[in-house]
Structure formats: C-alpha cells, structure tokens
Amino acid sequence: MSRSTSPTSFVTRFAPSPTGRLHRGHAYSALAGWTRARETSGRFLLRIEDIDRLRCRPMFAAAIEDDLRWLGLDWEQPVRRQSDHMADYLGALARLEGMGLLYRCFRTRSEILQTLAEAPHEAPDAHRPGRIGAREERQRLEAGEAFAWRLDAAVAISGLGASAPLSFVERGRGPANEYGRIVIDPSSLGDVVLARKGLGVSYHLAVVVDDAAQGVTEVVRGRDLFAATPIQRLLQRLLGLPTPAYRHHRLLLRPDGKRFAKRDSQETLAQLRAEGVDPATLRRELGFA
Ligand code: GLU
C-alpha cells in the first residue's frame, strides 16, 4: 500500500474500541476501508479507541490486531491509541470552554432518561438540559457533585452565522438513503456531552481531534454512526478542523436479521479462526474478492 503523504491522497481509518472481540460486522467495516484505500492507492490507518477506561481492555486491543492480520489486512505504524492523546482532547475541550460554548450539567443520565420516559413531549429539551444559575452551580461544585460538560448547541450554532450552513459529503448511504451533500438541520442537534468529570472526554471529541491529526480524508464506517456525523461536523467547524468526506456502509446482519454483538462469542472472528475458517473464504462471503 502506498505510503504517500501528499495532502491530496486518500486516507481512511478503522477505529474499533477494544471492548470485546471483533465480529463479522467489524471485518466488513475494516475490509470496506482497506479496500477503498487500495483502490485509491491511499493510506489505511488503524486507531484503537480506548478512552473509555471502564469498558476497554488491553487484551482486546492486542486481539484486534491479531484478528485483522489474520483477515489479511495491513496498516501503517504506529497505531494511534486514544489513551496516549488525552492531553489533545482536553486541549480541545478547554478551547471550546474558552469560547463559552460549554456548560456544566449536573443531571445524571438516568434523570434524563426518566424525563424522556415520563414526558416524551419534552424530549428535545431533555437533550438540552440547559445552563443553571451561577449560584446553584457554585453550591453543587462545592458539594463535590459529579457533572458532565455539555456543548451549548444553540449558542454554538448561532455563532456560526446563517451564511454558512453546516453540511457534510456522504459518499455511501445514510439510513434513509441520504447521499451527496447533506445539509444538517441545526435544531436536530442536542447539547451533546463532551466530557464527564473523572471519566474523561467523549467519543465525539476524541474522534474529530484524531481524524484531523491523522489527516483522514474519508471516514468509512457503519450506518449506525450516521447520526454521529452532524455532531462531529459541528465540532470540526467550531475547532477549525478540516472535514473528511463520509462513507457510511450498510450494516451486516446475522442470518436472524439481528446485528452482530461483541458479547456474542459464537460470532467472533476468533471463533471462526478456531473453527478453521479460511480468511479468503470469509472475505469472499463478505463481498470482497
Ligand atoms: N470506535 C467506534 C466504534 O467502535 C467507531 C468510531 C468511528 O468509526 O468513528 O463503534
């Protein structure tokens, strides 16, 4: 694979989280990105998204590389590990805070879910809990209460100005067949959580920082992440980061129509290897010659 570093060359990445063993769905996604990189004489990167300390395990990170190698893929070294770059994510968080775009939210996830269950008509507001008064905030901080940093979507969007609508280029297909330049409806964006006290930064923030740091020109990933793209596009815009194109691919389903899950050990690549499955056969089954 070409190691060209020309700024116009194609760069994509496969970015699994080491929370379990890879399954066929991951194999499909990794092959989709790797094949695109080959077709375009571009670069294929592997990124280990291991900032969720409660769910990620180093042994799964090592197993990811083993499974991908078995599948016949190669990627550039060094592999980027998100846990090595916390300072970059915290720097991005501090920049957004310095721009007045974040607020502390003391509501727990279960409180928010409860509001959604009890008063579904308030659903949009539940995703935008809003700022609290300075005095209450001080008291809660003094009491040592846990909080999340949320992006104030309304303030962020109004700061962008009406002349430059948020959009991104979809080269695959969204869940409703979306394709091409997709203009984002700002009112669809909630006050996304970007960090939690003591638990680190969110997936969205780390992803946009990394995609920019790694020079990714096309994000190839499953349609299950289509809804994450508007949020990530907004963060790129606020942080002045370049925007890759997106290629959301179909989700591979099990014969019973359900999605593959990491907890289902019967479906993992490790299991297929143990059964003596030939990786070339698997690649063909997944539609990659
Ligand atoms: N780490 C994410 C996952 O395993 C994927 C992130 C991405 O491709 O943007 O679902």
Side-chain angles (χ1 to χ4, degrees):
M1 202 165 288
S2 159
R3 296 285 188 271
S4 158
T5 50
S6 136
T8 52
S9 76
F10 178 97
V11 183
T12 193
R13 64 1 179 235
F14 177 56
S17 305
T19 55
R21 296 299 299 254
L22 298 185
H23 51 62
R24 278 172 187 263
H26 293 111
Y28 182 86
S29 202
L31 278 161
W34 184 81
T35 305
R36 276 287 293 155
R38 289 202 105 183
E39 285 168 357
T40 56
S41 303
R43 299 165 58 204
F44 177 73
L45 311 176
L46 174 65
R47 181 164 81 221
I48 301 293
E49 302 212 321
D50 60 349
I51 46 172
D52 182 343
R53 287 196 302 262
L54 299 177
R55 294 172 56 234
C56 296
R57 301 271 176 282
M59 68 176 207
F60 291 134
I64 285 171
E65 297 203 43
D66 279 353
D67 286 343
L68 294 178
R69 241 177 260 118
W70 169 78
L71 198 58
L73 306 194
D74 56 353
W75 52 91
E76 289 185 19
Q77 298 294 334
V79 170
R80 186 173 171 98
R81 280 167 217 290
Q82 289 192 326
S83 54
D84 292 339
H85 298 277
M86 280 309 292
D88 298 344
Y89 314 137
L90 292 173
L93 189 75
R95 271 188 63 201
L96 294 170
E97 199 208 339
M99 291 157 77
L101 299 180
L102 304 185
Y103 64 88
R104 289 188 185 88
C105 174
F106 292 87
R107 293 181 67 188
T108 62
R109 205 192 294 256
S110 56
E111 280 167 1
I112 291 170
L113 288 176
Q114 202 172 340
T115 311
L116 283 170
E118 284 168 4
H121 52 280
E122 287 175 21
D125 292 342
H127 291 295
R128 292 184 171 188
R131 296 172 191 255
I132 55 173
R135 197 162 142 202
E136 183 185 346
E137 183 172 24
R138 213 171 30 248
Q139 283 166 353
R140 285 176 170 239
L141 282 175
E142 277 165 12
E145 281 187 43
F147 63 84
W149 281 113
R150 281 183 184 267
L151 181 70
D152 191 331
V155 171
I157 289 158
S158 71
L160 297 181
S163 57
L166 264 186
S167 69
F168 65 93
V169 172
E170 174 62 52
R171 292 194 181 141
R173 295 277 166 184
N177 228 12
E178 296 91 338
Y179 181 74
R181 179 154 299 276
I182 296 180
V183 176
I184 298 163
D185 170 10
S187 67
S188 68
L189 296 165
D191 288 354
V192 63
V193 169
L194 294 186
R196 281 183 200 280
K197 187 190 164 203
L199 285 177
V201 300
S202 80
Y203 149 73
H204 295 296
L205 193 58
V207 162
V208 297
V209 169
D210 285 347
D211 283 339
Q214 296 190 286
V216 170
T217 60
E218 187 173 293
V219 171
V220 179
R221 62 185 178 192
R223 247 169 235 168
D224 53 335
L225 287 168
F226 186 77
T229 304
I231 299 163
Q232 294 175 11
R233 180 66 194 97
L234 174 61
L235 291 173
Q236 287 156 359
R237 177 85 157 260
L238 296 171
L239 291 165
L241 301 174
T243 306
Y246 289 83
R247 182 176 294 269
H248 293 93
H249 59 69
R250 72 182 178 92
L251 296 180
L252 203 71
L253 298 179
R254 301 190 320 190
D256 62 5
K258 298 214 177 91
R259 285 183 44 196
F260 288 99
K262 279 181 183 157
R263 58 189 168 277
D264 201 344
S265 67
Q266 297 307 306
E267 307 285 357
T268 61
L269 301 188
Q271 178 67 21
L272 298 178
R273 285 167 72 173
E275 286 168 7
V277 168
D278 172 17
T281 309
L282 175 63
R283 286 202 301 271
R284 265 197 308 279
E285 262 177 46
L286 295 175
F288 300 91

PDB file of all heavy atoms in Angstrom, residues 159-187:
ATOM      1  N   GLY A 159     -23.474  31.150  16.732  1.00  0.00           N
ATOM      2  CA  GLY A 159     -22.164  31.762  16.478  1.00  0.00           C
ATOM      3  C   GLY A 159     -21.622  31.465  15.087  1.00  0.00           C
ATOM      4  O   GLY A 159     -20.734  32.155  14.606  1.00  0.00           O
ATOM      5  N   LEU A 160     -22.157  30.432  14.446  1.00  0.00           N
ATOM      6  CA  LEU A 160     -21.631  30.070  13.121  1.00  0.00           C
ATOM      7  C   LEU A 160     -22.114  31.023  12.045  1.00  0.00           C
ATOM      8  O   LEU A 160     -21.491  31.152  10.989  1.00  0.00           O
ATOM      9  CB  LEU A 160     -22.080  28.653  12.735  1.00  0.00           C
ATOM     10  CG  LEU A 160     -21.588  27.510  13.604  1.00  0.00           C
ATOM     11  CD1 LEU A 160     -22.115  26.194  13.066  1.00  0.00           C
ATOM     12  CD2 LEU A 160     -20.061  27.485  13.653  1.00  0.00           C
ATOM     13  N   GLY A 161     -23.265  31.658  12.283  1.00  0.00           N
ATOM     14  CA  GLY A 161     -23.805  32.570  11.279  1.00  0.00           C
ATOM     15  C   GLY A 161     -24.622  31.801  10.259  1.00  0.00           C
ATOM     16  O   GLY A 161     -24.328  30.647   9.949  1.00  0.00           O
ATOM     17  N   ALA A 162     -25.646  32.477   9.750  1.00  0.00           N
ATOM     18  CA  ALA A 162     -26.591  31.808   8.843  1.00  0.00           C
ATOM     19  C   ALA A 162     -26.016  31.604   7.450  1.00  0.00           C
ATOM     20  O   ALA A 162     -26.511  30.791   6.676  1.00  0.00           O
ATOM     21  CB  ALA A 162     -27.870  32.643   8.760  1.00  0.00           C
ATOM     22  N   SER A 163     -24.944  32.325   7.132  1.00  0.00           N
ATOM     23  CA  SER A 163     -24.464  32.306   5.742  1.00  0.00           C
ATOM     24  C   SER A 163     -23.749  31.007   5.379  1.00  0.00           C
ATOM     25  O   SER A 163     -23.590  30.704   4.206  1.00  0.00           O
ATOM     26  CB  SER A 163     -23.530  33.480   5.515  1.00  0.00           C
ATOM     27  OG  SER A 163     -22.476  33.388   6.455  1.00  0.00           O
ATOM     28  N   ALA A 164     -23.309  30.264   6.379  1.00  0.00           N
ATOM     29  CA  ALA A 164     -22.553  29.052   6.058  1.00  0.00           C
ATOM     30  C   ALA A 164     -23.187  27.852   6.736  1.00  0.00           C
ATOM     31  O   ALA A 164     -22.785  27.449   7.822  1.00  0.00           O
ATOM     32  CB  ALA A 164     -21.108  29.214   6.519  1.00  0.00           C
ATOM     33  N   PRO A 165     -24.230  27.271   6.123  1.00  0.00           N
ATOM     34  CA  PRO A 165     -24.902  26.141   6.776  1.00  0.00           C
ATOM     35  C   PRO A 165     -23.949  24.967   6.974  1.00  0.00           C
ATOM     36  O   PRO A 165     -23.014  24.778   6.205  1.00  0.00           O
ATOM     37  CB  PRO A 165     -26.027  25.772   5.813  1.00  0.00           C
ATOM     38  CG  PRO A 165     -25.731  26.459   4.540  1.00  0.00           C
ATOM     39  CD  PRO A 165     -24.791  27.573   4.803  1.00  0.00           C
ATOM     40  N   LEU A 166     -24.215  24.233   8.022  1.00  0.00           N
ATOM     41  CA  LEU A 166     -23.384  23.052   8.306  1.00  0.00           C
ATOM     42  C   LEU A 166     -23.763  21.943   7.337  1.00  0.00           C
ATOM     43  O   LEU A 166     -24.952  21.650   7.171  1.00  0.00           O
ATOM     44  CB  LEU A 166     -23.724  22.535   9.699  1.00  0.00           C
ATOM     45  CG  LEU A 166     -22.918  22.933  10.894  1.00  0.00           C
ATOM     46  CD1 LEU A 166     -23.405  22.143  12.104  1.00  0.00           C
ATOM     47  CD2 LEU A 166     -21.429  22.748  10.696  1.00  0.00           C
ATOM     48  N   SER A 167     -22.783  21.320   6.754  1.00  0.00           N
ATOM     49  CA  SER A 167     -23.087  20.205   5.859  1.00  0.00           C
ATOM     50  C   SER A 167     -21.907  19.256   5.805  1.00  0.00           C
ATOM     51  O   SER A 167     -20.813  19.588   6.272  1.00  0.00           O
ATOM     52  CB  SER A 167     -23.398  20.719   4.451  1.00  0.00           C
ATOM     53  OG  SER A 167     -22.226  21.248   3.859  1.00  0.00           O
ATOM     54  N   PHE A 168     -22.143  18.088   5.259  1.00  0.00           N
ATOM     55  CA  PHE A 168     -21.033  17.159   5.008  1.00  0.00           C
ATOM     56  C   PHE A 168     -21.339  16.362   3.751  1.00  0.00           C
ATOM     57  O   PHE A 168     -22.489  16.335   3.283  1.00  0.00           O
ATOM     58  CB  PHE A 168     -20.798  16.232   6.216  1.00  0.00           C
ATOM     59  CG  PHE A 168     -21.914  15.279   6.524  1.00  0.00           C
ATOM     60  CD1 PHE A 168     -21.931  13.998   5.998  1.00  0.00           C
ATOM     61  CD2 PHE A 168     -22.961  15.663   7.351  1.00  0.00           C
ATOM     62  CE1 PHE A 168     -22.961  13.116   6.287  1.00  0.00           C
ATOM     63  CE2 PHE A 168     -24.006  14.794   7.646  1.00  0.00           C
ATOM     64  CZ  PHE A 168     -23.997  13.513   7.115  1.00  0.00           C
ATOM     65  N   VAL A 169     -20.292  15.741   3.210  1.00  0.00           N
ATOM     66  CA  VAL A 169     -20.471  14.951   1.984  1.00  0.00           C
ATOM     67  C   VAL A 169     -20.568  13.478   2.342  1.00  0.00           C
ATOM     68  O   VAL A 169     -19.681  12.931   2.997  1.00  0.00           O
ATOM     69  CB  VAL A 169     -19.297  15.190   1.008  1.00  0.00           C
ATOM     70  CG1 VAL A 169     -19.378  14.228  -0.175  1.00  0.00           C
ATOM     71  CG2 VAL A 169     -19.306  16.628   0.536  1.00  0.00           C
ATOM     72  N   GLU A 170     -21.671  12.869   1.915  1.00  0.00           N
ATOM     73  CA  GLU A 170     -21.889  11.437   2.143  1.00  0.00           C
ATOM     74  C   GLU A 170     -21.597  10.690   0.844  1.00  0.00           C
ATOM     75  O   GLU A 170     -22.252  10.941  -0.170  1.00  0.00           O
ATOM     76  CB  GLU A 170     -23.348  11.211   2.579  1.00  0.00           C
ATOM     77  CG  GLU A 170     -23.749   9.757   2.699  1.00  0.00           C
ATOM     78  CD  GLU A 170     -22.937   9.007   3.760  1.00  0.00           C
ATOM     79  OE1 GLU A 170     -22.866   9.476   4.893  1.00  0.00           O
ATOM     80  OE2 GLU A 170     -22.355   7.944   3.428  1.00  0.00           O
ATOM     81  N   ARG A 171     -20.621   9.800   0.896  1.00  0.00           N
ATOM     82  CA  ARG A 171     -20.294   9.037  -0.319  1.00  0.00           C
ATOM     83  C   ARG A 171     -20.865   7.636  -0.292  1.00  0.00           C
ATOM     84  O   ARG A 171     -20.837   6.933  -1.293  1.00  0.00           O
ATOM     85  CB  ARG A 171     -18.781   8.963  -0.498  1.00  0.00           C
ATOM     86  CG  ARG A 171     -18.191  10.318  -0.826  1.00  0.00           C
ATOM     87  CD  ARG A 171     -16.770  10.175  -1.335  1.00  0.00           C
ATOM     88  NE  ARG A 171     -16.204  11.461  -1.619  1.00  0.00           N
ATOM     89  CZ  ARG A 171     -14.948  11.808  -1.359  1.00  0.00           C
ATOM     90  NH1 ARG A 171     -14.124  10.934  -0.798  1.00  0.00           N
ATOM     91  NH2 ARG A 171     -14.507  13.003  -1.662  1.00  0.00           N
ATOM     92  N   GLY A 172     -21.348   7.216   0.883  1.00  0.00           N
ATOM     93  CA  GLY A 172     -22.032   5.922   0.967  1.00  0.00           C
ATOM     94  C   GLY A 172     -23.524   6.213   0.943  1.00  0.00           C
ATOM     95  O   GLY A 172     -24.003   6.942   0.064  1.00  0.00           O
ATOM     96  N   ARG A 173     -24.231   5.686   1.922  1.00  0.00           N
ATOM     97  CA  ARG A 173     -25.666   5.957   2.046  1.00  0.00           C
ATOM     98  C   ARG A 173     -26.018   6.056   3.515  1.00  0.00           C
ATOM     99  O   ARG A 173     -25.560   5.238   4.307  1.00  0.00           O
ATOM    100  CB  ARG A 173     -26.502   4.801   1.480  1.00  0.00           C
ATOM    101  CG  ARG A 173     -26.352   4.575   0.009  1.00  0.00           C
ATOM    102  CD  ARG A 173     -27.241   5.498  -0.795  1.00  0.00           C
ATOM    103  NE  ARG A 173     -26.801   5.449  -2.180  1.00  0.00           N
ATOM    104  CZ  ARG A 173     -27.274   6.175  -3.165  1.00  0.00           C
ATOM    105  NH1 ARG A 173     -28.205   7.074  -2.925  1.00  0.00           N
ATOM    106  NH2 ARG A 173     -26.828   6.062  -4.369  1.00  0.00           N
ATOM    107  N   GLY A 174     -26.860   7.024   3.854  1.00  0.00           N
ATOM    108  CA  GLY A 174     -27.387   7.086   5.211  1.00  0.00           C
ATOM    109  C   GLY A 174     -28.536   6.101   5.352  1.00  0.00           C
ATOM    110  O   GLY A 174     -28.956   5.483   4.371  1.00  0.00           O
ATOM    111  N   PRO A 175     -29.091   5.964   6.564  1.00  0.00           N
ATOM    112  CA  PRO A 175     -30.165   5.000   6.806  1.00  0.00           C
ATOM    113  C   PRO A 175     -31.402   5.286   5.952  1.00  0.00           C
ATOM    114  O   PRO A 175     -32.160   4.376   5.634  1.00  0.00           O
ATOM    115  CB  PRO A 175     -30.490   5.177   8.293  1.00  0.00           C
ATOM    116  CG  PRO A 175     -29.353   5.950   8.867  1.00  0.00           C
ATOM    117  CD  PRO A 175     -28.653   6.676   7.763  1.00  0.00           C
ATOM    118  N   ALA A 176     -31.633   6.553   5.580  1.00  0.00           N
ATOM    119  CA  ALA A 176     -32.790   6.878   4.728  1.00  0.00           C
ATOM    120  C   ALA A 176     -32.294   7.197   3.323  1.00  0.00           C
ATOM    121  O   ALA A 176     -32.850   8.051   2.638  1.00  0.00           O
ATOM    122  CB  ALA A 176     -33.587   8.032   5.327  1.00  0.00           C
ATOM    123  N   ASN A 177     -31.227   6.521   2.922  1.00  0.00           N
ATOM    124  CA  ASN A 177     -30.694   6.658   1.569  1.00  0.00           C
ATOM    125  C   ASN A 177     -30.050   8.017   1.296  1.00  0.00           C
ATOM    126  O   ASN A 177     -29.897   8.420   0.147  1.00  0.00           O
ATOM    127  CB  ASN A 177     -31.820   6.415   0.554  1.00  0.00           C
ATOM    128  CG  ASN A 177     -31.369   5.447  -0.503  1.00  0.00           C
ATOM    129  OD1 ASN A 177     -30.318   4.799  -0.351  1.00  0.00           O
ATOM    130  ND2 ASN A 177     -32.118   5.353  -1.579  1.00  0.00           N
ATOM    131  N   GLU A 178     -29.691   8.752   2.332  1.00  0.00           N
ATOM    132  CA  GLU A 178     -29.076  10.064   2.151  1.00  0.00           C
ATOM    133  C   GLU A 178     -27.771   9.911   1.372  1.00  0.00           C
ATOM    134  O   GLU A 178     -27.006   8.981   1.626  1.00  0.00           O
ATOM    135  CB  GLU A 178     -28.753  10.707   3.512  1.00  0.00           C
ATOM    136  CG  GLU A 178     -29.962  11.010   4.371  1.00  0.00           C
ATOM    137  CD  GLU A 178     -30.325   9.855   5.294  1.00  0.00           C
ATOM    138  OE1 GLU A 178     -29.944   8.691   5.026  1.00  0.00           O
ATOM    139  OE2 GLU A 178     -31.013  10.129   6.285  1.00  0.00           O
ATOM    140  N   TYR A 179     -27.529  10.834   0.482  1.00  0.00           N
ATOM    141  CA  TYR A 179     -26.336  10.744  -0.369  1.00  0.00           C
ATOM    142  C   TYR A 179     -25.925  12.147  -0.815  1.00  0.00           C
ATOM    143  O   TYR A 179     -26.758  13.027  -0.963  1.00  0.00           O
ATOM    144  CB  TYR A 179     -26.627   9.884  -1.605  1.00  0.00           C
ATOM    145  CG  TYR A 179     -25.437   9.742  -2.502  1.00  0.00           C
ATOM    146  CD1 TYR A 179     -24.371   8.924  -2.140  1.00  0.00           C
ATOM    147  CD2 TYR A 179     -25.363  10.457  -3.698  1.00  0.00           C
ATOM    148  CE1 TYR A 179     -23.257   8.817  -2.956  1.00  0.00           C
ATOM    149  CE2 TYR A 179     -24.251  10.349  -4.521  1.00  0.00           C
ATOM    150  CZ  TYR A 179     -23.200   9.530  -4.143  1.00  0.00           C
ATOM    151  OH  TYR A 179     -22.099   9.434  -4.931  1.00  0.00           O
ATOM    152  N   GLY A 180     -24.633  12.310  -1.048  1.00  0.00           N
ATOM    153  CA  GLY A 180     -24.155  13.594  -1.579  1.00  0.00           C
ATOM    154  C   GLY A 180     -23.997  14.624  -0.479  1.00  0.00           C
ATOM    155  O   GLY A 180     -23.702  14.269   0.667  1.00  0.00           O
ATOM    156  N   ARG A 181     -24.185  15.910  -0.830  1.00  0.00           N
ATOM    157  CA  ARG A 181     -24.022  16.940   0.207  1.00  0.00           C
ATOM    158  C   ARG A 181     -25.256  16.965   1.095  1.00  0.00           C
ATOM    159  O   ARG A 181     -26.374  17.155   0.621  1.00  0.00           O
ATOM    160  CB  ARG A 181     -23.767  18.317  -0.409  1.00  0.00           C
ATOM    161  CG  ARG A 181     -23.616  19.387   0.673  1.00  0.00           C
ATOM    162  CD  ARG A 181     -22.803  20.575   0.263  1.00  0.00           C
ATOM    163  NE  ARG A 181     -21.427  20.291  -0.101  1.00  0.00           N
ATOM    164  CZ  ARG A 181     -20.407  20.175   0.752  1.00  0.00           C
ATOM    165  NH1 ARG A 181     -20.604  20.263   2.060  1.00  0.00           N
ATOM    166  NH2 ARG A 181     -19.195  19.950   0.299  1.00  0.00           N
ATOM    167  N   ILE A 182     -25.044  16.770   2.372  1.00  0.00           N
ATOM    168  CA  ILE A 182     -26.160  16.697   3.310  1.00  0.00           C
ATOM    169  C   ILE A 182     -26.118  17.913   4.225  1.00  0.00           C
ATOM    170  O   ILE A 182     -25.111  18.146   4.898  1.00  0.00           O
ATOM    171  CB  ILE A 182     -26.089  15.384   4.112  1.00  0.00           C
ATOM    172  CG1 ILE A 182     -26.268  14.260   3.090  1.00  0.00           C
ATOM    173  CG2 ILE A 182     -27.118  15.335   5.222  1.00  0.00           C
ATOM    174  CD1 ILE A 182     -26.230  12.894   3.603  1.00  0.00           C
ATOM    175  N   VAL A 183     -27.167  18.693   4.158  1.00  0.00           N
ATOM    176  CA  VAL A 183     -27.217  19.895   4.995  1.00  0.00           C
ATOM    177  C   VAL A 183     -27.830  19.502   6.336  1.00  0.00           C
ATOM    178  O   VAL A 183     -28.853  18.825   6.386  1.00  0.00           O
ATOM    179  CB  VAL A 183     -28.031  21.011   4.295  1.00  0.00           C
ATOM    180  CG1 VAL A 183     -28.160  22.232   5.204  1.00  0.00           C
ATOM    181  CG2 VAL A 183     -27.365  21.391   2.982  1.00  0.00           C
ATOM    182  N   ILE A 184     -27.156  19.901   7.403  1.00  0.00           N
ATOM    183  CA  ILE A 184     -27.570  19.485   8.753  1.00  0.00           C
ATOM    184  C   ILE A 184     -28.602  20.471   9.294  1.00  0.00           C
ATOM    185  O   ILE A 184     -28.395  21.689   9.220  1.00  0.00           O
ATOM    186  CB  ILE A 184     -26.331  19.431   9.669  1.00  0.00           C
ATOM    187  CG1 ILE A 184     -25.349  18.378   9.138  1.00  0.00           C
ATOM    188  CG2 ILE A 184     -26.725  19.164  11.113  1.00  0.00           C
ATOM    189  CD1 ILE A 184     -23.950  18.501   9.699  1.00  0.00           C
ATOM    190  N   ASP A 185     -29.684  19.928   9.827  1.00  0.00           N
ATOM    191  CA  ASP A 185     -30.687  20.780  10.467  1.00  0.00           C
ATOM    192  C   ASP A 185     -30.188  21.082  11.886  1.00  0.00           C
ATOM    193  O   ASP A 185     -30.141  20.188  12.730  1.00  0.00           O
ATOM    194  CB  ASP A 185     -32.024  20.014  10.502  1.00  0.00           C
ATOM    195  CG  ASP A 185     -33.051  20.719  11.361  1.00  0.00           C
ATOM    196  OD1 ASP A 185     -32.810  21.871  11.778  1.00  0.00           O
ATOM    197  OD2 ASP A 185     -34.106  20.098  11.630  1.00  0.00           O
ATOM    198  N   PRO A 186     -29.827  22.344  12.156  1.00  0.00           N
ATOM    199  CA  PRO A 186     -29.230  22.647  13.467  1.00  0.00           C
ATOM    200  C   PRO A 186     -30.145  22.304  14.629  1.00  0.00           C
ATOM    201  O   PRO A 186     -29.675  21.940  15.702  1.00  0.00           O
ATOM    202  CB  PRO A 186     -28.970  24.154  13.417  1.00  0.00           C
ATOM    203  CG  PRO A 186     -29.101  24.553  11.996  1.00  0.00           C
ATOM    204  CD  PRO A 186     -29.954  23.527  11.318  1.00  0.00           C
ATOM    205  N   SER A 187     -31.473  22.368  14.379  1.00  0.00           N
ATOM    206  CA  SER A 187     -32.378  22.113  15.506  1.00  0.00           C
ATOM    207  C   SER A 187     -32.369  20.630  15.898  1.00  0.00           C
ATOM    208  O   SER A 187     -32.906  20.249  16.929  1.00  0.00           O
ATOM    209  CB  SER A 187     -33.790  22.571  15.166  1.00  0.00           C
ATOM    210  OG  SER A 187     -34.298  21.754  14.145  1.00  0.00           O
TER     211      SER A 187
END
